[in-house]
Amino acid sequence: MSQERHLRWSLALAALFLAMGLWLEAMLGLRAAGWVDDPLRREFLRLGHAHGGLLALLNIGLSWAQVHLGTPEPWARQIRRAAWLGAFLVGGGFVLGGLWHGPTDPGLPVLAVPAGALMLVASLVATALLRTGDRAPGR
């Protein structure tokens, strides 16, 4: 993923999850049935909105950090892809896990949350540790 595409998609992801927060606030303010009266759904939608929005902003910062730290481009492309997908999986996993859930437990999509979180952590560590002269694997 190119730096420009990563930055644009990260901004779009931030807009998506922040707009979702506005929608969620409207549903809560209007006391819309199905949203307010289901505490598990309400909690997981809030978690998805908050995590998705913040992690999209983290991706914007990661894009900036890679430029200023001189992360080698072959590594940077893979790191950006993993970081963006990780943010999407965390936010989306919470949202989908809250929309389709059992009586007391979130739905199966919530299993995407730890996978996405690990992708994000690995992306941040790789960006922090890689230096300009480091070669990509297989080269």
Side-chain angles (χ1 to χ4, degrees):
M1 176 181 288
S2 71
Q3 182 193 5
E4 179 185 349
R5 178 175 287 169
H6 178 244
L7 192 53
R8 289 181 190 279
W9 283 22
S10 297
L11 288 166
L13 195 63
L16 172 77
F17 281 111
L18 294 177
M20 186 192 137
L22 290 172
W23 168 81
L24 185 57
E25 286 298 320
M27 293 299 102
L28 292 171
L30 296 171
R31 301 196 191 291
W35 303 108
V36 175
D37 55 356
D38 186 343
L40 187 64
R41 176 172 291 144
R42 185 176 59 234
E43 182 68 23
F44 273 78
L45 289 176
R46 282 182 175 164
L47 285 168
H49 149 67
H51 282 81
L54 289 173
L55 295 176
L57 294 175
L58 178 76
N59 266 273
I60 293 167
L62 180 77
S63 184
W64 176 86
Q66 284 185 336
V67 169
H68 291 283
L69 292 175
T71 305
E73 191 53 34
W75 285 98
R77 282 193 301 271
Q78 300 304 320
I79 291 169
R80 288 189 292 261
R81 183 178 294 125
W84 191 89
L85 182 59
F88 182 79
L89 287 175
V90 170
F94 277 127
V95 170
L96 294 176
L99 288 176
W100 294 284
H101 65 83
T104 59
D105 295 323
L108 285 178
V110 81
L111 295 175
V113 172
L118 287 173
M119 292 172 77
L120 278 160
V121 168
S123 299
L124 293 171
V125 169
T127 299
L129 295 180
L130 287 170
R131 297 171 193 212
T132 306
D134 293 341
R135 293 183 7 200
R139 290 186 181 208

